[in-house]
Amino acid sequence: MYIASQKRSQNIAEYLLYMWQVEDLIRAYHLDMDLIRDNIIARYSLDDSQRKQLVEWYESLIDMMRRENVTEKGHLNINSNVLHSLVDLHHTLLKDPRFPQYTAEFYKTLPYIVEIRSKAGENKPGEIETCLNALYGMLLLRLKGSDISEETQKATAQIARFTGLLAHYFKLEEENLLEKEAEKNSGKDTEAKPDTAQKSDS
């Protein structure tokens, strides 16, 4: 809960990956609070009040997983809603010419997205979910201590750069600073035009 709160305020992509991991941990312990207390909560140095809050947080997640029928697979609505917000922002940024860096990073990442989706079967996830799935897969490989090919590391590094930029713009949007950032980018473009013209004249 405390880690989730910190990640939520700093990097929405890392928050979502963390919450997916929490979902899988709950499943690994069969939605059993006694097992979660012994194997997860007991690891933290908490006072009684903090421990009570953490227990209640896990209990609420278990309750939601049961009610939303995601006890075996899938994601909680609270996490799916975050993903949908990221997808909406992704489309907004691509349509706005004032975010050329974002568009450039996306097209650098797109070949990896296409490759990953080609292996996903019939129910192919969207572009942003594909990126997050790739990062989550890498996280699981590292946790298991598996060997990771150089090609996979290269692909994951680019995907991480792209999702990191999306998370950055998401934070700006939540702080009502995205439009200011867009105007700043637009100003840079305007300032660059005279230089370009001078070079052309010479």
Side-chain angles (χ1 to χ4, degrees):
M1 178 180 71
Y2 303 107
I3 296 173
S5 178
Q6 182 181 31
K7 288 183 179 295
R8 179 65 180 80
S9 64
Q10 294 178 351
N11 187 310
I12 194 66
E14 289 185 2
Y15 163 78
L16 198 52
L17 295 176
Y18 178 77
M19 289 302 297
W20 285 0
Q21 187 181 12
V22 168
E23 290 172 342
D24 280 346
L25 278 172
I26 290 173
R27 293 183 184 113
Y29 291 115
H30 313 293
L31 285 74
D32 186 321
M33 270 309 302
D34 289 334
L35 292 175
I36 290 170
R37 280 192 187 91
D38 293 342
N39 294 281
I40 299 177
I41 297 174
R43 298 177 187 172
Y44 297 99
S45 298
L46 304 170
D47 60 32
D48 290 343
S49 176
Q50 291 172 326
R51 186 173 292 102
K52 182 174 181 292
Q53 287 179 336
L54 194 55
V55 167
E56 290 174 350
W57 186 66
Y58 273 102
E59 286 176 339
S60 69
L61 291 176
I62 290 170
D63 181 57
M64 284 189 283
M65 289 175 72
R66 285 179 172 142
R67 284 190 285 108
E68 296 173 19
N69 197 27
V70 291
T71 57
E72 295 184 7
K73 62 180 181 178
H75 299 299
L76 288 165
N77 287 336
I78 54 171
N79 297 329
S80 295
N81 289 340
V82 171
L83 176 59
H84 293 155
S85 296
L86 282 171
V87 171
D88 288 344
L89 178 59
H90 166 65
H91 292 306
T92 297
L93 293 169
L94 285 182
K95 292 175 183 176
D96 195 327
R98 296 175 298 176
F99 295 96
Q101 182 187 2
Y102 183 81
T103 302
E105 285 297 333
F106 171 66
Y107 283 109
K108 287 180 187 175
T109 312
L110 189 56
Y112 299 117
I113 295 173
V114 171
E115 182 180 355
I116 294 168
R117 292 183 72 190
S118 70
K119 303 172 184 176
E122 293 183 3
N123 298 320
K124 300 182 188 302
E127 294 160 345
I128 301 305
E129 187 173 359
T130 297
C131 290
L132 291 167
N133 284 340
L135 294 177
Y136 189 63
M138 175 64 81
L139 172 64
L140 295 180
L141 288 174
R142 285 174 173 160
L143 288 173
K144 293 175 183 176
S146 303
D147 291 332
I148 302 169
S149 70
E150 186 176 338
E151 183 180 350
T152 299
Q153 291 184 50
K154 180 181 177 183
T156 306
Q158 176 56 43
I159 290 170
R161 277 193 296 272
F162 168 63
T163 55
L165 187 58
L166 176 58
H168 168 67
Y169 285 133
F170 185 90
K171 190 171 189 293
L172 290 181
E173 183 182 48
E174 286 203 317
E175 295 171 351
N176 295 316
L177 294 173
L178 189 61
E179 184 61 27
K180 184 176 181 181
E181 179 73 10
E183 291 172 358
K184 184 170 69 174
N185 291 341
S186 181
K188 287 178 183 177
D189 292 342
T190 303
E191 292 168 6
K193 288 178 182 178
D195 294 335
T196 304
Q198 288 172 8
K199 289 177 182 176
S200 298
D201 292 340
S202 60

PDB file of all heavy atoms in Angstrom, residues 146-174:
ATOM      1  N   SER A 146      16.183 -15.264 -14.522  1.00  0.00           N
ATOM      2  CA  SER A 146      16.324 -15.876 -15.849  1.00  0.00           C
ATOM      3  C   SER A 146      17.323 -15.110 -16.703  1.00  0.00           C
ATOM      4  O   SER A 146      17.541 -13.911 -16.514  1.00  0.00           O
ATOM      5  CB  SER A 146      14.963 -15.896 -16.558  1.00  0.00           C
ATOM      6  OG  SER A 146      13.989 -16.578 -15.792  1.00  0.00           O
ATOM      7  N   ASP A 147      17.911 -15.820 -17.648  1.00  0.00           N
ATOM      8  CA  ASP A 147      18.790 -15.177 -18.617  1.00  0.00           C
ATOM      9  C   ASP A 147      17.939 -14.360 -19.586  1.00  0.00           C
ATOM     10  O   ASP A 147      16.891 -14.821 -20.048  1.00  0.00           O
ATOM     11  CB  ASP A 147      19.589 -16.219 -19.407  1.00  0.00           C
ATOM     12  CG  ASP A 147      20.617 -16.922 -18.532  1.00  0.00           C
ATOM     13  OD1 ASP A 147      21.083 -16.307 -17.562  1.00  0.00           O
ATOM     14  OD2 ASP A 147      20.938 -18.088 -18.834  1.00  0.00           O
ATOM     15  N   ILE A 148      18.406 -13.147 -19.886  1.00  0.00           N
ATOM     16  CA  ILE A 148      17.669 -12.259 -20.780  1.00  0.00           C
ATOM     17  C   ILE A 148      18.564 -11.909 -21.957  1.00  0.00           C
ATOM     18  O   ILE A 148      19.681 -11.412 -21.768  1.00  0.00           O
ATOM     19  CB  ILE A 148      17.228 -10.979 -20.039  1.00  0.00           C
ATOM     20  CG1 ILE A 148      16.364 -11.353 -18.819  1.00  0.00           C
ATOM     21  CG2 ILE A 148      16.449 -10.052 -20.970  1.00  0.00           C
ATOM     22  CD1 ILE A 148      16.082 -10.210 -17.879  1.00  0.00           C
ATOM     23  N   SER A 149      18.074 -12.160 -23.165  1.00  0.00           N
ATOM     24  CA  SER A 149      18.885 -11.920 -24.360  1.00  0.00           C
ATOM     25  C   SER A 149      19.148 -10.436 -24.550  1.00  0.00           C
ATOM     26  O   SER A 149      18.389  -9.580 -24.074  1.00  0.00           O
ATOM     27  CB  SER A 149      18.180 -12.473 -25.599  1.00  0.00           C
ATOM     28  OG  SER A 149      17.034 -11.708 -25.905  1.00  0.00           O
ATOM     29  N   GLU A 150      20.221 -10.133 -25.272  1.00  0.00           N
ATOM     30  CA  GLU A 150      20.574  -8.739 -25.553  1.00  0.00           C
ATOM     31  C   GLU A 150      19.481  -8.058 -26.361  1.00  0.00           C
ATOM     32  O   GLU A 150      19.165  -6.882 -26.135  1.00  0.00           O
ATOM     33  CB  GLU A 150      21.901  -8.692 -26.321  1.00  0.00           C
ATOM     34  CG  GLU A 150      22.431  -7.284 -26.532  1.00  0.00           C
ATOM     35  CD  GLU A 150      23.793  -7.273 -27.213  1.00  0.00           C
ATOM     36  OE1 GLU A 150      24.494  -8.302 -27.152  1.00  0.00           O
ATOM     37  OE2 GLU A 150      24.140  -6.238 -27.804  1.00  0.00           O
ATOM     38  N   GLU A 151      18.886  -8.792 -27.286  1.00  0.00           N
ATOM     39  CA  GLU A 151      17.810  -8.237 -28.111  1.00  0.00           C
ATOM     40  C   GLU A 151      16.599  -7.863 -27.263  1.00  0.00           C
ATOM     41  O   GLU A 151      16.003  -6.798 -27.442  1.00  0.00           O
ATOM     42  CB  GLU A 151      17.393  -9.257 -29.173  1.00  0.00           C
ATOM     43  CG  GLU A 151      16.330  -8.752 -30.135  1.00  0.00           C
ATOM     44  CD  GLU A 151      15.938  -9.789 -31.169  1.00  0.00           C
ATOM     45  OE1 GLU A 151      16.625 -10.827 -31.264  1.00  0.00           O
ATOM     46  OE2 GLU A 151      14.945  -9.558 -31.877  1.00  0.00           O
ATOM     47  N   THR A 152      16.256  -8.739 -26.316  1.00  0.00           N
ATOM     48  CA  THR A 152      15.125  -8.461 -25.422  1.00  0.00           C
ATOM     49  C   THR A 152      15.415  -7.257 -24.533  1.00  0.00           C
ATOM     50  O   THR A 152      14.545  -6.409 -24.306  1.00  0.00           O
ATOM     51  CB  THR A 152      14.818  -9.691 -24.546  1.00  0.00           C
ATOM     52  OG1 THR A 152      14.465 -10.787 -25.386  1.00  0.00           O
ATOM     53  CG2 THR A 152      13.667  -9.411 -23.589  1.00  0.00           C
ATOM     54  N   GLN A 153      16.636  -7.164 -24.031  1.00  0.00           N
ATOM     55  CA  GLN A 153      17.015  -6.019 -23.205  1.00  0.00           C
ATOM     56  C   GLN A 153      16.939  -4.717 -23.993  1.00  0.00           C
ATOM     57  O   GLN A 153      16.492  -3.693 -23.472  1.00  0.00           O
ATOM     58  CB  GLN A 153      18.429  -6.227 -22.659  1.00  0.00           C
ATOM     59  CG  GLN A 153      18.541  -7.342 -21.633  1.00  0.00           C
ATOM     60  CD  GLN A 153      19.939  -7.461 -21.047  1.00  0.00           C
ATOM     61  OE1 GLN A 153      20.525  -6.479 -20.607  1.00  0.00           O
ATOM     62  NE2 GLN A 153      20.487  -8.664 -21.048  1.00  0.00           N
ATOM     63  N   LYS A 154      17.371  -4.754 -25.247  1.00  0.00           N
ATOM     64  CA  LYS A 154      17.329  -3.570 -26.096  1.00  0.00           C
ATOM     65  C   LYS A 154      15.885  -3.131 -26.328  1.00  0.00           C
ATOM     66  O   LYS A 154      15.555  -1.940 -26.225  1.00  0.00           O
ATOM     67  CB  LYS A 154      18.006  -3.863 -27.434  1.00  0.00           C
ATOM     68  CG  LYS A 154      18.019  -2.680 -28.390  1.00  0.00           C
ATOM     69  CD  LYS A 154      18.691  -3.059 -29.711  1.00  0.00           C
ATOM     70  CE  LYS A 154      18.628  -1.888 -30.700  1.00  0.00           C
ATOM     71  NZ  LYS A 154      19.222  -2.258 -32.013  1.00  0.00           N
ATOM     72  N   ALA A 155      15.027  -4.095 -26.649  1.00  0.00           N
ATOM     73  CA  ALA A 155      13.614  -3.789 -26.879  1.00  0.00           C
ATOM     74  C   ALA A 155      12.971  -3.226 -25.621  1.00  0.00           C
ATOM     75  O   ALA A 155      12.246  -2.213 -25.673  1.00  0.00           O
ATOM     76  CB  ALA A 155      12.880  -5.052 -27.325  1.00  0.00           C
ATOM     77  N   THR A 156      13.253  -3.851 -24.482  1.00  0.00           N
ATOM     78  CA  THR A 156      12.654  -3.413 -23.223  1.00  0.00           C
ATOM     79  C   THR A 156      13.139  -2.019 -22.831  1.00  0.00           C
ATOM     80  O   THR A 156      12.370  -1.221 -22.282  1.00  0.00           O
ATOM     81  CB  THR A 156      12.979  -4.413 -22.099  1.00  0.00           C
ATOM     82  OG1 THR A 156      12.591  -5.725 -22.509  1.00  0.00           O
ATOM     83  CG2 THR A 156      12.229  -4.055 -20.824  1.00  0.00           C
ATOM     84  N   ALA A 157      14.396  -1.716 -23.120  1.00  0.00           N
ATOM     85  CA  ALA A 157      14.945  -0.395 -22.793  1.00  0.00           C
ATOM     86  C   ALA A 157      14.207   0.692 -23.571  1.00  0.00           C
ATOM     87  O   ALA A 157      13.876   1.755 -23.020  1.00  0.00           O
ATOM     88  CB  ALA A 157      16.438  -0.348 -23.102  1.00  0.00           C
ATOM     89  N   GLN A 158      13.935   0.442 -24.852  1.00  0.00           N
ATOM     90  CA  GLN A 158      13.210   1.425 -25.651  1.00  0.00           C
ATOM     91  C   GLN A 158      11.766   1.561 -25.179  1.00  0.00           C
ATOM     92  O   GLN A 158      11.230   2.664 -25.059  1.00  0.00           O
ATOM     93  CB  GLN A 158      13.236   1.032 -27.138  1.00  0.00           C
ATOM     94  CG  GLN A 158      12.417   1.959 -28.042  1.00  0.00           C
ATOM     95  CD  GLN A 158      12.842   3.416 -27.926  1.00  0.00           C
ATOM     96  OE1 GLN A 158      14.031   3.725 -27.887  1.00  0.00           O
ATOM     97  NE2 GLN A 158      11.870   4.324 -27.871  1.00  0.00           N
ATOM     98  N   ILE A 159      11.147   0.426 -24.879  1.00  0.00           N
ATOM     99  CA  ILE A 159       9.768   0.459 -24.380  1.00  0.00           C
ATOM    100  C   ILE A 159       9.703   1.221 -23.052  1.00  0.00           C
ATOM    101  O   ILE A 159       8.777   1.995 -22.809  1.00  0.00           O
ATOM    102  CB  ILE A 159       9.228  -0.979 -24.215  1.00  0.00           C
ATOM    103  CG1 ILE A 159       9.022  -1.613 -25.597  1.00  0.00           C
ATOM    104  CG2 ILE A 159       7.927  -0.991 -23.423  1.00  0.00           C
ATOM    105  CD1 ILE A 159       8.725  -3.098 -25.560  1.00  0.00           C
ATOM    106  N   ALA A 160      10.709   1.018 -22.207  1.00  0.00           N
ATOM    107  CA  ALA A 160      10.753   1.719 -20.917  1.00  0.00           C
ATOM    108  C   ALA A 160      10.911   3.220 -21.107  1.00  0.00           C
ATOM    109  O   ALA A 160      10.304   4.018 -20.377  1.00  0.00           O
ATOM    110  CB  ALA A 160      11.894   1.171 -20.067  1.00  0.00           C
ATOM    111  N   ARG A 161      11.742   3.631 -22.086  1.00  0.00           N
ATOM    112  CA  ARG A 161      11.896   5.068 -22.367  1.00  0.00           C
ATOM    113  C   ARG A 161      10.564   5.676 -22.807  1.00  0.00           C
ATOM    114  O   ARG A 161      10.183   6.767 -22.360  1.00  0.00           O
ATOM    115  CB  ARG A 161      12.949   5.294 -23.453  1.00  0.00           C
ATOM    116  CG  ARG A 161      14.377   5.317 -22.965  1.00  0.00           C
ATOM    117  CD  ARG A 161      15.337   5.849 -23.994  1.00  0.00           C
ATOM    118  NE  ARG A 161      15.405   5.001 -25.167  1.00  0.00           N
ATOM    119  CZ  ARG A 161      16.231   3.973 -25.302  1.00  0.00           C
ATOM    120  NH1 ARG A 161      17.062   3.658 -24.316  1.00  0.00           N
ATOM    121  NH2 ARG A 161      16.234   3.246 -26.403  1.00  0.00           N
ATOM    122  N   PHE A 162       9.885   4.962 -23.681  1.00  0.00           N
ATOM    123  CA  PHE A 162       8.608   5.462 -24.200  1.00  0.00           C
ATOM    124  C   PHE A 162       7.548   5.545 -23.107  1.00  0.00           C
ATOM    125  O   PHE A 162       6.893   6.582 -22.940  1.00  0.00           O
ATOM    126  CB  PHE A 162       8.128   4.559 -25.343  1.00  0.00           C
ATOM    127  CG  PHE A 162       6.703   4.802 -25.743  1.00  0.00           C
ATOM    128  CD1 PHE A 162       6.318   6.034 -26.263  1.00  0.00           C
ATOM    129  CD2 PHE A 162       5.743   3.804 -25.594  1.00  0.00           C
ATOM    130  CE1 PHE A 162       4.994   6.262 -26.620  1.00  0.00           C
ATOM    131  CE2 PHE A 162       4.431   4.030 -25.952  1.00  0.00           C
ATOM    132  CZ  PHE A 162       4.046   5.265 -26.471  1.00  0.00           C
ATOM    133  N   THR A 163       7.381   4.480 -22.326  1.00  0.00           N
ATOM    134  CA  THR A 163       6.372   4.494 -21.272  1.00  0.00           C
ATOM    135  C   THR A 163       6.735   5.489 -20.173  1.00  0.00           C
ATOM    136  O   THR A 163       5.858   6.080 -19.549  1.00  0.00           O
ATOM    137  CB  THR A 163       6.172   3.092 -20.668  1.00  0.00           C
ATOM    138  OG1 THR A 163       7.431   2.585 -20.219  1.00  0.00           O
ATOM    139  CG2 THR A 163       5.577   2.144 -21.688  1.00  0.00           C
ATOM    140  N   GLY A 164       8.034   5.682 -19.959  1.00  0.00           N
ATOM    141  CA  GLY A 164       8.473   6.683 -18.981  1.00  0.00           C
ATOM    142  C   GLY A 164       8.063   8.082 -19.409  1.00  0.00           C
ATOM    143  O   GLY A 164       7.652   8.906 -18.579  1.00  0.00           O
ATOM    144  N   LEU A 165       8.164   8.345 -20.715  1.00  0.00           N
ATOM    145  CA  LEU A 165       7.758   9.658 -21.228  1.00  0.00           C
ATOM    146  C   LEU A 165       6.247   9.827 -21.108  1.00  0.00           C
ATOM    147  O   LEU A 165       5.760  10.907 -20.728  1.00  0.00           O
ATOM    148  CB  LEU A 165       8.200   9.805 -22.685  1.00  0.00           C
ATOM    149  CG  LEU A 165       8.010  11.176 -23.329  1.00  0.00           C
ATOM    150  CD1 LEU A 165       8.754  12.260 -22.544  1.00  0.00           C
ATOM    151  CD2 LEU A 165       8.479  11.152 -24.782  1.00  0.00           C
ATOM    152  N   LEU A 166       5.497   8.761 -21.412  1.00  0.00           N
ATOM    153  CA  LEU A 166       4.039   8.814 -21.259  1.00  0.00           C
ATOM    154  C   LEU A 166       3.669   9.065 -19.798  1.00  0.00           C
ATOM    155  O   LEU A 166       2.784   9.872 -19.501  1.00  0.00           O
ATOM    156  CB  LEU A 166       3.420   7.503 -21.747  1.00  0.00           C
ATOM    157  CG  LEU A 166       1.903   7.352 -21.583  1.00  0.00           C
ATOM    158  CD1 LEU A 166       1.160   8.468 -22.306  1.00  0.00           C
ATOM    159  CD2 LEU A 166       1.448   5.983 -22.100  1.00  0.00           C
ATOM    160  N   ALA A 167       4.356   8.400 -18.882  1.00  0.00           N
ATOM    161  CA  ALA A 167       4.094   8.596 -17.454  1.00  0.00           C
ATOM    162  C   ALA A 167       4.399  10.032 -17.035  1.00  0.00           C
ATOM    163  O   ALA A 167       3.696  10.616 -16.206  1.00  0.00           O
ATOM    164  CB  ALA A 167       4.926   7.614 -16.624  1.00  0.00           C
ATOM    165  N   HIS A 168       5.459  10.598 -17.605  1.00  0.00           N
ATOM    166  CA  HIS A 168       5.823  11.983 -17.316  1.00  0.00           C
ATOM    167  C   HIS A 168       4.705  12.931 -17.736  1.00  0.00           C
ATOM    168  O   HIS A 168       4.295  13.813 -16.967  1.00  0.00           O
ATOM    169  CB  HIS A 168       7.111  12.336 -18.057  1.00  0.00           C
ATOM    170  CG  HIS A 168       7.431  13.796 -18.063  1.00  0.00           C
ATOM    171  ND1 HIS A 168       7.763  14.502 -16.929  1.00  0.00           N
ATOM    172  CD2 HIS A 168       7.444  14.699 -19.093  1.00  0.00           C
ATOM    173  CE1 HIS A 168       7.983  15.778 -17.240  1.00  0.00           C
ATOM    174  NE2 HIS A 168       7.788  15.914 -18.541  1.00  0.00           N
ATOM    175  N   TYR A 169       4.172  12.724 -18.924  1.00  0.00           N
ATOM    176  CA  TYR A 169       3.092  13.595 -19.406  1.00  0.00           C
ATOM    177  C   TYR A 169       1.803  13.355 -18.623  1.00  0.00           C
ATOM    178  O   TYR A 169       1.014  14.282 -18.425  1.00  0.00           O
ATOM    179  CB  TYR A 169       2.865  13.376 -20.902  1.00  0.00           C
ATOM    180  CG  TYR A 169       3.933  14.014 -21.765  1.00  0.00           C
ATOM    181  CD1 TYR A 169       4.534  13.300 -22.802  1.00  0.00           C
ATOM    182  CD2 TYR A 169       4.351  15.322 -21.546  1.00  0.00           C
ATOM    183  CE1 TYR A 169       5.524  13.878 -23.588  1.00  0.00           C
ATOM    184  CE2 TYR A 169       5.337  15.904 -22.323  1.00  0.00           C
ATOM    185  CZ  TYR A 169       5.928  15.184 -23.344  1.00  0.00           C
ATOM    186  OH  TYR A 169       6.902  15.762 -24.116  1.00  0.00           O
ATOM    187  N   PHE A 170       1.603  12.131 -18.158  1.00  0.00           N
ATOM    188  CA  PHE A 170       0.428  11.836 -17.332  1.00  0.00           C
ATOM    189  C   PHE A 170       0.492  12.629 -16.032  1.00  0.00           C
ATOM    190  O   PHE A 170      -0.519  13.188 -15.577  1.00  0.00           O
ATOM    191  CB  PHE A 170       0.371  10.337 -17.033  1.00  0.00           C
ATOM    192  CG  PHE A 170      -0.866   9.907 -16.288  1.00  0.00           C
ATOM    193  CD1 PHE A 170      -2.012   9.527 -16.964  1.00  0.00           C
ATOM    194  CD2 PHE A 170      -0.883   9.875 -14.897  1.00  0.00           C
ATOM    195  CE1 PHE A 170      -3.149   9.123 -16.285  1.00  0.00           C
ATOM    196  CE2 PHE A 170      -2.016   9.484 -14.201  1.00  0.00           C
ATOM    197  CZ  PHE A 170      -3.149   9.102 -14.907  1.00  0.00           C
ATOM    198  N   LYS A 171       1.682  12.685 -15.445  1.00  0.00           N
ATOM    199  CA  LYS A 171       1.870  13.434 -14.200  1.00  0.00           C
ATOM    200  C   LYS A 171       1.610  14.926 -14.435  1.00  0.00           C
ATOM    201  O   LYS A 171       0.963  15.599 -13.621  1.00  0.00           O
ATOM    202  CB  LYS A 171       3.282  13.220 -13.664  1.00  0.00           C
ATOM    203  CG  LYS A 171       3.536  13.748 -12.258  1.00  0.00           C
ATOM    204  CD  LYS A 171       4.885  13.276 -11.747  1.00  0.00           C
ATOM    205  CE  LYS A 171       5.071  13.587 -10.275  1.00  0.00           C
ATOM    206  NZ  LYS A 171       5.155  15.020  -9.986  1.00  0.00           N
ATOM    207  N   LEU A 172       2.105  15.426 -15.563  1.00  0.00           N
ATOM    208  CA  LEU A 172       1.860  16.832 -15.896  1.00  0.00           C
ATOM    209  C   LEU A 172       0.372  17.105 -16.065  1.00  0.00           C
ATOM    210  O   LEU A 172      -0.139  18.136 -15.619  1.00  0.00           O
ATOM    211  CB  LEU A 172       2.607  17.218 -17.181  1.00  0.00           C
ATOM    212  CG  LEU A 172       4.130  17.307 -17.101  1.00  0.00           C
ATOM    213  CD1 LEU A 172       4.710  17.712 -18.450  1.00  0.00           C
ATOM    214  CD2 LEU A 172       4.577  18.303 -16.028  1.00  0.00           C
ATOM    215  N   GLU A 173      -0.309  16.173 -16.702  1.00  0.00           N
ATOM    216  CA  GLU A 173      -1.751  16.349 -16.911  1.00  0.00           C
ATOM    217  C   GLU A 173      -2.482  16.382 -15.575  1.00  0.00           C
ATOM    218  O   GLU A 173      -3.383  17.212 -15.372  1.00  0.00           O
ATOM    219  CB  GLU A 173      -2.296  15.217 -17.779  1.00  0.00           C
ATOM    220  CG  GLU A 173      -3.779  15.374 -18.102  1.00  0.00           C
ATOM    221  CD  GLU A 173      -4.317  14.216 -18.929  1.00  0.00           C
ATOM    222  OE1 GLU A 173      -4.048  13.061 -18.566  1.00  0.00           O
ATOM    223  OE2 GLU A 173      -5.020  14.480 -19.924  1.00  0.00           O
ATOM    224  N   GLU A 174      -2.116  15.500 -14.663  1.00  0.00           N
ATOM    225  CA  GLU A 174      -2.770  15.474 -13.356  1.00  0.00           C
ATOM    226  C   GLU A 174      -2.502  16.754 -12.563  1.00  0.00           C
ATOM    227  O   GLU A 174      -3.309  17.153 -11.739  1.00  0.00           O
ATOM    228  CB  GLU A 174      -2.293  14.261 -12.555  1.00  0.00           C
ATOM    229  CG  GLU A 174      -2.875  12.941 -13.037  1.00  0.00           C
ATOM    230  CD  GLU A 174      -2.860  11.882 -11.959  1.00  0.00           C
ATOM    231  OE1 GLU A 174      -1.825  11.778 -11.262  1.00  0.00           O
ATOM    232  OE2 GLU A 174      -3.868  11.176 -11.804  1.00  0.00           O
TER     233      GLU A 174
END
